Every structure is written in C-alpha cells, then in structure tokens.
Amino acid sequence: MEASAGLVAGSHNRNELVVIHGHEEPKPLRSVNRHVCEICGDDIGKTADGELFVACNECGFPVCRPCYEYERREGTQHCPQCKTRYKRLKGSPRVEGDEEEEDVDDIEHEFNLEEEAGAMRQHQAEAMLHAKMRYGRGLPADDDDRFSVITNPRFPETPIVGRSSRPVSGEFPLTIPAGVAASPLHKRVHPYPLSESGSGRYNWDFSRENEAWRGRMDDFKSKQALLAPDPDDFDPDMPLMDEARQPLSRKVPIASSKVNPYRMIIILRLVVLAFFLRYRILNPVHDALGLWLTSVICEIWFAISWILDQFPKWFPIDRETYLDRLSLRYEREGEPSMLSAVDIFVSTVDPMKEPPLVTANTVLSLLAVDYPVDKISCYVSDDGASMLTFEALSETAEFGRKWVPFCKKFAIEPRAPEMYFSLKIDYLKDKVHPDFVKERRAMKREYEEFKVRINALVAKALKVPEEGWVMQDGIPWPGNNTKDHPGMIQVFLGHSGGHDTEGNHLPRLVYVSREKRPGFQHHKKAGAMNALIRVSAILTNAPFMLNLDCDHYINNSKAIREAMCFLMDPQLGRKVCFVQFPQRFDGIDKNDRYANRNTVFFDINMKGLDGIQGPVYVGTGCVFRRQALYGYEPPKGPKRPKMVSCGCCPCFGSRKKARDQLKKGKPELHGTEDLAGQGFDEEKATMMSEINFDKKFGQSAALIASTLMEDGGVPPSASPAALLKEAIHVISCGYEDKTEWGYELGWIYGSITEDILTGFKMHCRGWRSIYCMPQLPAFKGSAPINLSDRLNQVLRWALGSVEIFFSRHSPLWYGYKGGHLKWLERFAYINTTIYPFTSLPLLAYCTLPAICLLTGKFIMPTISTFASLFFIMLFISIFATGILELRWSGVSIEEWWRNEQFWVIGGVSAHLFAVVQGLLKVLAGIDTNFTVTSKASNDEELGELYAIKWTTLLIPPTTLLIINLIGVVAGVSDAINNGYQSWGPLFGKLFFAFWVIVHLYPFLKGLMGRQSRTPTIVVIWSVLLASIFSLLWVRIDPFVLKSKGPDLKQCGINC
C-alpha cells in the first residue's frame, strides 16, 4: 500500500473512482537509502555477484526476487510497469514459454537440485538405519561423544535439534541433542560377545563389561542429578527449547476452599427458596388478596431470574499467560517474527460527541503497541464522513512518527500521550537512560503543540460554511452530505512513506468511510464493522482482528501478545473464536456512585462463563479470529471410526450398509487443486463446488479468495492501485444486498447491541471464547459519570436485549439444532435478553411497601415461629452467597453494594423504558434513534458528576422515592396514634420501605446535585412532595382516635 497515494473516493454502483492528491502538506523526513520492492515493500536484495537485483532489463522496475519468481510462476509473467515479458535470470527455474538457451542450464548442472535432494534422503535413511542397528549396543571405547551419527562428506552432520532452525508451525521436535545425558528407560542391553583370549570357555571381557557398567551408572546418576553433565557438551539453547515447548497459557481453577462452600450455599439457598415459595403460595392473605398475588408473582419471577444469573457462575476460573514462551516459540533471534498479523478496528461516528483528541490518543497507543510493526494494521472507520476526523487523523499520523520511537525507546506505559503525561507518579522510576528527561520534556512540548492543532481543527469545525467544506487543494470534501457520499479510503501510513523520524517502519494506518446513499439500510455500527472486515481482507487480510471503541486506548502495550498466547496456542487456539478483555475506565469518582466500573459483571460473571464455553462479547477490547467471523465452524478433532460388522445376527450393522457407504463416497471436486496448492485450507477449498460464494460473501473475487486463506496474507502480485479499487468496491452501499453479511457473517444485524448477537452466533457454531485478565489492564476507556448519560447508556443496552428477545436469534429457541451451545452458557444468554423484563415486577415490588403503609394492609399473613425460620434462612443465604462471591472473586463489598443499588435504579427507570420501546418497535413498528454516548470530558475534575440533565428516565425512581417516604411518615404517625400493639406489624412494612429507599439513595443524591447549592429541581420536587403529603395527611388524620366498636349507623342500637 502506498501511503502517498492520496485520498481514494468512489462509488462502485456509479462507476466512479477519484484519487485526490495534495490535500495535505508533505512533511520532510530523514532520508532512508534503501531499495524497496514496489510490490511487497521488502528490500530488493542483491545477486550472488553482489550487484543489485534487476528483474526487468527494459525499464528497471524495482522488484525483489521472490515477487519476480512468483510473477513468473503464478502471474502474467510480465513486468507491472512496461508489460515486457520477464526473461529467466540465473538461478531461477524455467517456466513454460522461456526461450531455449545455448549455454549450459545452470539449474540442471550447477545446482543439481534433484540429485542433491535424493542424496540427502539417502543420507537421512542411512542415518536412521544405523541408529536402529546400534540401538541397545555399547558405544565404542574411543568415541568421545555420547552419540555419533553417520556423516557424509557431501552433507553436514544432521543435527537432532539445531540452534537456529525451527519448524514453521512453532513446534520443536521432542528429541535429545548431543551433549545431554540420555535416559536409560526402555533401553535394551544385550550381552557382549565372548572374549577370544583368556582361560576358560565362558570367560567375559571384564574390562569392557566394567566400562559398560560404569557408563550405565553414570547415566543413572545424571538422571538422579547426582552427576552433572560435562559443561563442554551442554547445549545452552536446550533449556530455551524446553521452555518453548510448554503451553502458552494455563487455566487456574479457583481454590476448592473458596468454591466448594460457595456451591453448597447456592444449593442451600435453592432449597430454602423452594420452601419459601411453597409457603407463600399456600398461605394467602384474604383481606389483601390483590397485594398478596402481586407479591407472589414478583417473587417467583425474581427466583427464576436469580437461577439464570447464578448457575452460570458455577465453574469460575482464572488464567495465566506466558509471554516469554510466546517469544521463544515465534520470535527466535536472527529470524523473522512468526507472530500472526493483527488488523485493528477503531470506530467513530460524531466528532463532537467523540472528540478527535480522544480518538487520536487511541490511535497513537495502537501505533506504539509492543508488536512487530509489519504485523499491525490500524483501520479507523469514520461513519460520519467528517472532514474534522480526517484532518485530525492526518495530524495524528504525523505526530505518531515522533511518539512511537519515543515510547519504544524508553518503554513508556501507557502509550496514550494524554494519559501518560497526566499520570501523577514518579516518571523517573526504573529509567536509566541519560537522555530520558530531556527527550520527555521535548516530547511533552510536541504533544502540547499537537493538542493545540487538534483544538484549532475542532474550533474551525463548529462553523460549517454554506458551500460545504473544501480541502486544501480546493476540491470539495466528498463527505459534505453525511447521508449521501461516496466511499473514501486514505492510507496515511504504509510501506512507502510509513517511517518514523529515525527511519524505522511504522504500522499501517488507514482511514475508511463507507459509502452512504439514501434508500439503503446501513445498520449503524454493525454495518461499519462489516465494512472494515471486507476492506482489511482486501488490503492486509490478517488472520486476527482487534475491535476497539474510539475512547479505549491500550493501557498495556503487550495486550495483543496476551491474546496471542491463547489464539496461537497449538492445542487450545484452533477452537477459540475470540479473546475478550475486561473493560476498565478512567475518570470515575472514587465512590463509583452509579456503578460505572461494572466490576461484578467483569470480575464475577465473566469468570464464571470462562469456565463453561467462554465469556460473551461486550463490544470492545476483543481479539477475533477472522475465520470465525466468516461463519466457518471450528475444526473438529478426529472421530472414532464406526464399527462395521460382518452381518450376522449378534453383530450390529451389516456389510451391505458399509458397501453402500463406500459406493456413495464424496463427489469428486474439480478446480480446487490450485487453491490447495497456494496455501488455501484444503477443507475449505473443497466447499467451493457446494456453496455459491457470491451469495455468501458478495461479488468480489479478491474477497472470496481471501476468505479461504486461513493464515491470511495478500498475494504479492497484487498492485496497490488494484487493491484500493477493490476496497472501494466492497464498502459500496449495495454490496451486502442478497448476501449473508449481517445475518450469518461478520457482526450480526437485528439489534443495537450487535455484540451480544455476534458472540452468540459463534458460540452456537461450537466455538469457545477466552477471558483474559492481565495484571496490568489491557485497555482503558471513558465512562459517562453523569446520572442522565449513564441511564441513557443502560437504556440502549437494555433495548438491544429486548430486540434480541423478540428476534429469531433469541436464546430461548435458537441454536438447538447443532447442540454446540452448552446449557449453562445458554442460561447466561437467556439472562442477557430477559433481564430488562425484571423491571415490571421490580417496579411493582418497590411500590408495595408504600401501599401497605398507606392502607394498613400487608402482603403476608401472621407467621408462626416455624415459618419465620424460612425467612431468616433465606436472608442469611442471600448474604452468604454474596460474601462468598466476594471471597473468590476479589471484588470489594463497596463495589458489590453499588452494583445492587444501581440494579434497582436502572431496573425501575432505563429497563422499564426499554421494555416499552421494545414492545412499540415489535408491535407498532415505531423505531427509536440510536444515541451515541458522549465521551467528552469536562475541564473541571468530575464536574459532570453533579450536572442534572432532566430526562423522562428520572420520573419513575423519583416517584418511588416520594411515595415510600410518604408511606414511612404515614405509617409511623398511625402507629403512634394507635398504640403499642400496632408497632409489631409496622416493622415488616418499614423494612421493605427502607429497602427501597436505601437502594435508591444514589439516585436521590444525584438529584440533590452539589452540596454547595440547591438546584431548581429540588425546589420543584419539594413543593410537589409537600402538596401530596398535605392531601394524604387530611385523608389519614392520624391524631384522631379511631373507634374500634360497631358502626351504629348500620347496625342500630341493638347491635
């Protein structure tokens, strides 16, 4: 890809393609004197004579030897620039069409490849035969080495384990190198032949026998660590080899002393709950039948909801990763890195709600990640086609040329400059480089100037010109109409031009804005992510993809390596569809008033799911396997062959059935041999005759070819111009029509919470996911600390769950056919879709205490001493379950209590509105607009925490607070008026009323705003509260004695 190719804009449907140059001023960089291949970007290299390799003698177009040979073998055999046929150069194999040469063919006579290969095979066979013949026999007395190998003068000695050689798969052969003592286990020792000299017929050669005996004893002592091997014969790479063969990760189960009591309490709570519900159903309250029935229905629903939430946490686990083993296996010194490539997706829509400076910090942290630069490609999706985002990304790319080498030189953490320079820590700790302080000051000044330039762009974007935005070269910005514009792609950093200030390569940085036209369904964020999948498949086609929101920067520079410990593990990784990281946030108040950290979900629920089939996908901080998003099923292990019997009575089956199966067989597939030979997966290549790939992936041959390459990569013969043209094609607005994109492939459509659907589909196919929690959080983002913004965010999540519940992908009825989804995993997915409906019984249950206090009735009859034990045991089991959860998870009790409080606050507000809006959308077709959560930060620290933004979501919890407070006052007043005997029934009512008030306390505190001034909303509600309380005071009249005798007006004097 060319970083200086300019902005490519076009529409495939309209047959338009425009390349806009000169939209940015070139920045001078340090010159790099290197000859680079124009196809793959690698060094051209030199010939055997030390001269620069020249593929085409006509025009001298720079091409390296691998690209030259690939073009002759697989391509058109012509020069990409002058279209002249390539001639065969010395050392290159012949291909069809080469001219006959009069001189001796260097391939057949100079190199003698066939003879050399045959001789090598013969040499290896002789060595193996010699080893088998010597197996179990004694070693020659004059042999200094522990092992000897037959040598051939034409070939070097074949090592058992080489120092620098390594298989491509990353595995090491399980053999013992020279110099390390061999184990005597399973070693046959034959008697030595009789000695020819000596007296007697059966005399042994005692000297040889004693020597052999001493050798065996030395072997035994070495094994027992009693005798160390000779230091001169020891291979220093052997411990590294052993370490690299170990697993890259380890599952760490929670200690049984913590989990077993937790499980016992869950079972006990389930039994107590069953007895409690039985008692409630069989003992109705006849004078308050309506209140009793409502409370029983609510309690049954709460029990079902608790079961769905609790039992998926039955098998909690932790995991450990070994980054050193990953490096030993895939990054050997002196060899190219064999780590898999990763495409990173960053999505943004509105630069006013998602500030460009926040997005820039995320991109800068990605460019500076601790991973090979040629394996990283960052794609930024601008779904709002904003020129502000485009120009800010251009500035970010230029600043990244200075920031990335600074981070890697001094091992900076975190690598987002805004977060790094704002850390209030000793930044000199562990820093020993003498130039660090000087360069840090210079870099901080550079970043401040960068912030000023970004702020200037934002200020400029506030006033939109009437004629629309115009680029620096005078061309109108193609995205002036955000709902009607062509697709746009700009490669800011690539192989050509993608160097930092020190001349080192930088990761690729690509700007993408998909085409939008009126009359097309664009599917919001899910559609933008699917467009990024297709663009990246054309340009880079990495086998793994990292998805991040624009406000989630990399806090741990080794985060991608952490994920690779699972995805590249030879045993575990083949069936892993994604690795999910927990979400961590900055800028939250220390008390976490509105449970923004969501610690209970990320540290308890997700650990429990990891022990079943894996965590759910939460929308960001997730590394995907590309093949899993393409709808492929995970690879299946070898199955046991079915028994074929002889056909007699005692046997099962028949010969006839077996013969019929052999006759049927698989149909012969044609045209897939070439694909299998070019690195495509053989099993997927055979599917080409059975599946119409055009209907599955769309009308793009390049995209279809990339989906069959399990290890990723782009053909080296493809030109950058052709790739960009094809990339514009796959982001056109009509590309997904009549395909499976969004329905079986990529991010799934049908809900604004596309993350839950996408992960659910992959789990239903049999994939499993991994939950990775490194000690240093991998990613950090921003959360809405304001009450109104927080409730709107929860409303969006809950509405998406309601949409999934009413869709065809509902976990209640989808995914049973294959049987791949485990039952406890299904329970967790069902809970994610029905939890908003808990708002209906929760709202009713929170209203019952106030009604009971105001009417003098109660939801329970007078209970006996035996029945009261069920209530006591139920409350004890509830608290014990929570305490034991905190014990094995490490979550603090304050975080647990904040989560319980916000469960009630969100349940009676956002979840309730989500159910109403979801029903309106399903029944009446009334759609709701997607609101992007604001990620702008206030200049004043935690200033947004006290801001009051009135919304209808605040009405239900406010009403509940008021009526419960009124009920408490009325109930206490009535008890004071009626005497001592009325206090007993009052305590139960007051307990439930205070339960509601305590859970809604953070909401009440949010309404109060700052303590230094009283907001207008408090005055309004105070007046309303006083009015309602006055009316109820007149109705109850608590200071007037109530007559307990008969009503004389109705009964008469003789009653």
Side-chain angles (χ1 to χ4, degrees):
M1 290 184 295
E2 296 287 345
S4 58
L7 175 65
V8 181
S11 172
H12 179 77
N13 298 333
R14 301 187 180 187
N15 197 21
E16 299 174 350
L17 187 66
V18 180
V19 180
I20 304 174
H21 295 279
H23 58 275
E24 57 181 359
E25 298 179 0
K27 309 292 193 301
L29 290 175
R30 181 179 176 181
S31 61
V32 183
N33 297 323
R34 297 177 63 185
H35 299 280
V36 180
C37 174
E38 293 294 335
I39 296 179
C40 66
D42 294 337
D43 291 340
I44 292 180
K46 298 182 179 180
T47 62
D49 300 331
E51 299 178 355
L52 184 67
F53 177 77
V54 179
C56 179
N57 295 323
E58 300 295 332
C59 65
F61 186 70
V63 176
C64 63
R65 180 178 284 275
C67 293
Y68 159 78
E69 293 182 351
Y70 181 87
E71 183 67 25
R72 281 174 43 84
R73 184 178 69 254
E74 306 291 344
T76 61
Q77 303 179 3
H78 291 82
C79 174
Q81 179 167 297
C82 65
K83 306 302 179 184
T84 305
R85 179 183 172 85
Y86 278 136
K87 295 182 179 180
R88 191 180 73 85
L89 302 178
K90 182 178 180 181
S92 298
R94 286 185 177 274
V95 297
E96 185 179 357
D98 283 344
E99 298 179 357
E100 295 294 334
E101 302 177 3
E102 297 179 358
D103 55 347
V104 179
D105 195 337
D106 57 287
I107 294 296
E108 297 179 0
H109 293 81
E110 289 187 17
F111 290 94
N112 295 324
L113 296 180
E114 295 183 359
E115 295 181 8
E116 297 253 352
M120 175 62 76
R121 288 193 295 268
Q122 180 68 21
H123 167 66
Q124 293 176 348
E126 291 176 358
M128 294 173 61
L129 179 60
H130 179 74
K132 284 188 173 292
M133 294 178 64
R134 289 183 49 193
Y135 185 74
R137 302 181 183 275
L139 298 176
D142 56 348
D143 192 357
D144 297 333
D145 297 331
R146 306 288 302 181
F147 300 96
S148 62
V149 179
I150 295 178
T151 57
N152 191 313
R154 294 183 57 193
F155 301 98
E157 179 178 343
T158 304
I160 298 178
V161 176
R163 290 176 179 263
S164 61
S165 61
R166 174 167 52 95
V168 176
S169 63
E171 295 294 331
F172 291 92
L174 296 174
T175 52
I176 304 175
V180 179
S183 172
L185 297 177
H186 311 291
K187 184 173 181 179
R188 295 178 292 120
V189 180
H190 299 283
Y192 286 96
L194 299 177
S195 176
E196 296 181 358
S197 61
S199 60
R201 183 178 179 182
Y202 297 98
N203 290 336
W204 296 91
D205 188 347
F206 289 101
S207 61
R208 296 183 61 183
E209 175 67 19
N210 293 336
E211 183 180 352
W213 176 258
R214 284 195 301 271
R216 289 196 296 273
M217 287 301 298
D218 290 345
D219 289 343
F220 175 77
K221 291 179 180 179
S222 297
K223 182 183 177 183
Q224 301 297 328
L226 299 177
L227 181 64
D230 189 357
D232 297 334
D233 296 337
F234 182 73
D235 187 359
D237 289 344
M238 188 57 194
L240 301 180
M241 300 277 190
D242 292 337
E243 182 72 13
R245 283 196 297 266
Q246 300 298 320
L248 302 179
S249 63
R250 183 172 71 96
K251 184 189 298 184
V252 183
I254 306 296
S256 57
S257 60
K258 298 180 180 180
V259 173
N260 289 342
Y262 173 67
R263 294 169 179 168
M264 293 171 60
I265 290 296
I266 292 175
I267 298 299
L268 178 63
R269 180 176 174 180
L270 187 64
V271 174
V272 173
L273 186 61
F275 279 102
F276 172 79
L277 293 177
R278 178 181 179 275
Y279 173 81
R280 294 284 284 122
I281 295 173
L282 297 180
N283 294 273
V285 182
H286 297 287
D287 60 340
L289 201 59
L291 296 178
W292 167 82
L293 183 61
T294 302
S295 64
V296 169
I297 293 175
C298 294
E299 289 162 1
I300 293 175
W301 180 269
F302 293 151
I304 296 173
S305 177
W306 172 77
I307 291 174
L308 293 176
D309 178 69
Q310 187 67 64
F311 279 91
K313 297 182 283 189
W314 189 263
F315 301 103
I317 62 170
D318 287 322
R319 293 186 183 272
E320 289 182 354
T321 56
Y322 304 101
L323 301 180
D324 51 346
R325 297 177 184 174
L326 181 74
S327 298
L328 288 173
R329 179 172 294 188
Y330 295 107
E331 291 183 302
R332 298 296 301 277
E333 186 177 357
E335 298 183 10
S337 173
M338 293 178 61
L339 291 172
S340 295
V342 180
D343 290 338
I344 306 176
F345 300 158
V346 179
S347 58
T348 180
V349 180
D350 188 353
M352 295 303 164
K353 292 186 177 180
E354 299 168 327
L357 188 61
V358 174
T359 305
N361 273 271
T362 299
V363 173
L364 289 170
S365 69
L366 294 173
L367 296 178
V369 69
D370 184 6
Y371 208 74
V373 293
D374 59 327
K375 307 287 186 178
I376 291 292
S377 301
C378 180
Y379 294 83
V380 179
S381 171
D382 178 18
D383 219 30
S386 172
M387 186 173 172
L388 172 59
T389 303
F390 178 82
E391 292 182 336
L393 198 61
S394 176
E395 291 286 350
T396 302
E398 294 303 322
F399 178 73
R401 301 174 191 266
K402 306 172 184 177
W403 172 253
V404 172
F406 171 75
C407 291
K408 294 186 176 182
K409 181 178 180 180
F410 299 109
I412 298 302
E413 294 287 355
R415 300 192 174 180
E418 183 69 25
M419 308 307 161
Y420 171 70
F421 289 120
S422 62
L423 287 178
K424 297 178 180 179
I425 60 174
D426 182 14
Y427 63 87
L428 296 178
K429 185 178 180 181
D430 300 330
K431 297 295 185 293
V432 296
H433 202 285
D435 296 334
F436 172 69
V437 175
K438 179 180 179 181
E439 294 192 26
R440 185 183 186 274
R441 291 173 181 172
M443 184 55 59
K444 187 174 183 180
R445 184 172 60 254
E446 292 280 353
Y447 177 65
E448 291 172 351
E449 294 175 358
F450 167 72
K451 287 178 65 176
V452 170
R453 294 195 296 269
I454 296 295
N455 293 335
L457 293 176
V458 175
K460 174 185 174 183
L462 295 177
K463 298 180 180 180
V464 182
E466 296 181 358
E467 64 277 6
W469 295 109
V470 179
M471 304 180 73
Q472 292 184 4
D473 56 355
I475 299 177
W477 171 247
N480 277 324
N481 188 346
T482 58
K483 297 182 179 180
D484 186 4
H485 64 83
M488 294 177 284
I489 297 177
Q490 166 71 57
V491 181
F492 285 109
L493 298 174
H495 279 306
S496 299
H499 298 85
D500 58 24
T501 53
E502 297 182 0
N504 301 316
H505 280 291
L506 287 172
R508 300 174 184 87
L509 178 60
V510 185
Y511 169 87
V512 179
S513 181
R514 57 178 174 150
E515 181 185 14
K516 287 189 176 181
R517 301 296 181 188
F520 287 90
Q521 181 62 263
H522 302 292
H523 301 288
K524 301 174 182 175
K525 180 182 177 180
M529 299 307 298
N530 285 337
L532 287 183
I533 293 179
R534 297 192 293 271
V535 168
S536 63
I538 298 296
L539 299 181
T540 51
N541 195 31
F544 302 108
M545 299 174 292
L546 169 61
N547 158 230
L548 286 176
D549 287 343
C550 65
D551 63 321
H552 275 69
Y553 64 91
I554 290 189
N555 184 66
N556 183 351
S557 61
K558 299 183 182 296
I560 299 180
R561 293 178 179 269
E562 296 275 356
M564 291 300 110
C565 286
F566 301 104
L567 293 169
M568 296 188 68
D569 191 285
Q571 298 178 356
L572 175 68
R574 299 178 68 245
K575 294 187 177 182
V576 176
C577 57
F578 62 83
V579 176
Q580 178 66 61
F581 292 87
Q583 293 186 21
R584 303 297 188 218
F585 302 100
D586 289 323
I588 299 176
D589 62 304
K590 61 179 181 179
N591 296 321
D592 194 13
R593 181 184 297 178
Y594 307 122
N596 283 282
R597 293 190 178 92
N598 213 355
T599 314
V600 172
F601 173 76
F602 286 112
D603 290 8
I604 298 180
N605 295 67
M606 298 287 268
K607 282 185 179 181
L609 290 176
D610 197 17
I612 306 171
Q613 197 175 344
V616 298
Y617 168 45
V618 296
T620 183
C622 186
V623 182
F624 285 96
R625 182 181 298 275
R626 186 181 287 269
Q627 295 293 310
L629 283 172
Y630 282 158
Y632 292 119
E633 294 185 356
K636 298 179 181 179
K639 295 183 178 180
R640 293 181 59 187
K642 295 183 179 180
M643 181 179 63
V644 180
S645 61
C646 60
C648 56
C649 293
C651 299
F652 299 95
S654 64
R655 290 181 177 179
K656 182 179 179 181
K657 184 177 180 180
R659 285 195 300 267
D660 292 342
Q661 292 178 351
L662 291 175
K663 287 181 180 179
K664 290 180 181 179
K666 285 188 177 181
E668 186 177 357
L669 303 177
H670 302 281
T672 60
E673 297 83 358
D674 295 338
L675 289 174
Q678 295 177 13
F680 294 99
D681 187 81
E682 184 177 357
E683 182 180 353
K684 296 184 179 66
T686 58
M687 297 170 57
M688 293 193 65
S689 62
E690 304 174 4
I691 301 177
N692 191 338
F693 278 82
D694 292 345
K695 293 182 179 180
K696 187 178 180 70
F697 295 102
Q699 301 288 333
S700 174
L703 177 62
I704 293 174
S706 68
T707 61
L708 298 174
M709 303 175 68
E710 187 172 357
D711 295 330
V714 178
S717 60
S719 64
L723 292 178
L724 289 174
K725 183 178 180 180
E726 191 67 21
I728 290 292
H729 175 205
V730 298
I731 62 173
S732 59
C733 54
Y735 182 83
E736 294 182 354
D737 293 347
K738 299 180 180 180
T739 66
E740 295 184 4
W741 284 102
Y743 301 97
E744 297 295 333
L745 311 179
W747 270 258
I748 306 301
Y749 304 151
S751 172
I752 58 176
T753 52
E754 70 289 332
D755 45 5
I756 299 295
L757 268 181
T758 304
F760 176 63
K761 292 278 286 187
M762 284 188 266
H763 282 140
C764 287
R765 295 189 188 106
W767 293 93
R768 76 150 295 135
S769 55
I770 297 294
Y771 194 52
C772 182
M773 292 184 62
Q775 292 183 352
L776 180 64
F779 309 101
K780 280 190 176 182
S782 59
I785 62 175
N786 174 265
L787 176 61
S788 303
D789 291 340
R790 172 66 167 150
L791 290 178
N792 277 303
Q793 183 188 55
V794 174
L795 170 63
R796 187 174 72 251
W797 294 344
L799 180 58
S801 297
V802 174
E803 291 173 344
I804 296 174
F805 179 81
F806 288 111
S807 70
R808 72 182 185 94
H809 291 115
S810 175
L812 285 173
W813 49 73
Y814 183 84
Y816 290 96
K817 184 177 180 181
H820 299 301
L821 189 66
K822 296 183 179 180
W823 278 101
L824 289 180
E825 192 81 11
R826 184 178 295 277
F827 279 9
Y829 274 110
I830 292 175
N831 187 47
T832 59
T833 57
I834 70 169
Y835 79 89
F837 295 96
T838 308
S839 60
L840 299 175
L842 184 61
L843 180 64
Y845 212 73
C846 290
T847 310
L848 288 177
I851 297 177
C852 293
L853 288 168
L854 293 174
T855 59
K857 299 178 180 179
F858 199 41
I859 59 177
M860 294 184 188
T862 305
I863 60 176
S864 62
T865 304
F866 178 75
S868 63
L869 293 177
F870 293 115
F871 292 87
I872 296 174
M873 292 180 65
L874 180 62
F875 284 109
I876 291 177
S877 63
I878 291 174
F879 286 112
T881 306
I883 291 173
L884 291 177
E885 271 188 0
L886 303 182
R887 184 167 175 255
W888 65 255
S889 65
V891 177
S892 66
I893 190 170
E894 182 181 7
E895 292 172 324
W896 177 82
W897 175 239
R898 291 302 185 196
N899 182 80
E900 292 294 317
Q901 287 180 316
F902 198 79
W903 175 74
V904 177
I905 296 173
V908 298
S909 57
H911 298 173
L912 179 65
F913 278 77
V915 172
V916 174
Q917 293 181 9
L919 292 174
L920 289 175
K921 182 177 181 180
V922 173
L923 300 178
I926 301 176
D927 199 358
T928 55
N929 293 326
F930 174 78
T931 303
V932 179
T933 304
S934 177
K935 299 172 177 64
S937 59
N938 198 310
D939 294 335
E940 185 179 359
E941 186 176 4
L942 301 179
E944 284 286 318
L945 179 64
Y946 306 103
I948 298 296
K949 301 177 182 179
W950 181 255
T951 173
T952 53
L953 297 175
L954 302 178
I955 295 178
T958 306
T959 306
L960 285 176
L961 267 174
I962 293 173
I963 63 174
N964 277 279
L965 288 173
I966 293 175
V968 170
V969 175
V972 173
S973 301
D974 186 65
I976 293 174
N977 186 49
N978 290 331
Y980 175 77
Q981 67 276 5
S982 61
W983 282 96
L986 179 64
F987 283 137
K989 304 172 188 178
L990 290 177
F991 175 80
F992 287 107
F994 278 118
W995 180 88
V996 175
I997 294 172
V998 168
H999 278 79
L1000 293 176
Y1001 174 73
F1003 177 83
L1004 176 63
K1005 197 172 182 180
L1007 285 181
M1008 295 297 296
R1010 288 185 180 274
Q1011 288 81 1
S1012 58
R1013 66 175 185 269
T1014 302
T1016 307
I1017 191 68
V1018 176
V1019 178
I1020 296 175
W1021 280 112
S1022 299
V1023 175
L1024 181 61
L1025 176 62
S1027 303
I1028 296 176
F1029 182 72
S1030 300
L1031 294 175
L1032 290 174
W1033 185 278
V1034 175
R1035 175 67 180 87
I1036 297 173
D1037 201 6
F1039 294 107
V1040 177
L1041 292 176
K1042 296 182 180 180
S1043 176
K1044 299 298 182 181
D1047 190 354
L1048 299 180
K1049 294 182 180 179
Q1050 296 192 12
C1051 298
I1053 193 68
N1054 299 321
C1055 215

